[in-house]
Amino acid sequence: MNRRRQIQLSSEEQAAFFREQRKAALATLDRHGFPHVVAMNYFAEDGAFYMTSYGKAQKVVNIRRNPKVALMIESGNAYAELRGVMVRGHCEIIEGAEAVRAAFAGMAEARGAAPSRPAASARSCAARRRSASPVMP
């Protein structure tokens, strides 16, 4: 049996891995075609990965130009412990306060925490400037 098949995660193992991890490297393409990689918190639900960002962030600008993205979810420190799954797909920018609140609530729930409740004015101001981004493989 080849080495790749020995280390490949099954669909069930991947789903468990996505639930266990909270951070991913999100790769987009900048206007010159070079990779732009940033660390993001995420949660996975119904086959999509959700994260939030400020609407004017470079990653959002890049996604609006080209929705093809990659996520690298990884764990481990020493080489023998490293595990990771790369997901490639299309990212959709969803704007609006309700989408952002739902994404924050989903991330909190995935961590096993209650969604934080900032003051209403701060929450609505932050929601207007942020966008939620699902990545669909």
Side-chain angles (χ1 to χ4, degrees):
M1 178 180 261
N2 77 25
R3 180 72 175 136
R4 181 173 289 176
R5 293 190 135 214
Q6 290 176 331
I7 63 173
Q8 187 173 1
L9 298 176
S10 69
S11 296
E12 295 80 19
E13 290 170 322
Q14 284 183 22
F17 187 70
F18 298 149
R19 285 190 303 272
E20 294 165 6
Q21 305 307 313
R22 296 288 145 239
K23 294 181 289 186
L26 171 67
T28 62
L29 295 173
D30 71 13
R31 65 187 173 108
H32 301 292
F34 287 97
H36 177 85
V37 183
V38 295
M40 298 291 293
N41 286 315
Y42 76 91
F43 78 98
E45 182 176 83
D46 298 329
F49 296 83
Y50 292 86
M51 55 204 86
T52 66
S53 180
Y54 286 102
K56 292 184 179 183
Q58 187 62 53
K59 61 189 157 285
V60 174
V61 171
N62 293 344
I63 292 165
R64 288 186 196 283
R65 185 182 322 101
N66 182 346
K68 293 180 182 177
V69 300
L71 287 175
M72 176 64 177
I73 298 107
E74 62 181 72
S75 69
N77 291 314
Y79 183 79
E81 301 169 346
L82 292 178
R83 292 179 28 185
V85 177
M86 180 181 68
V87 177
R88 292 186 289 194
H90 291 84
C91 187
E92 176 186 355
I93 304 298
I94 301 172
E95 297 178 297
E98 191 54 41
V100 173
R101 279 192 284 275
F104 277 125
M107 284 189 271
E109 183 179 320
R111 288 191 316 269
S116 60
R117 295 193 175 269
S121 60
R123 184 175 62 241
S124 64
C125 177
R128 280 195 302 268
R129 296 186 321 196
R130 296 185 75 90
S131 60
S133 305
V135 174
M136 311 293 254

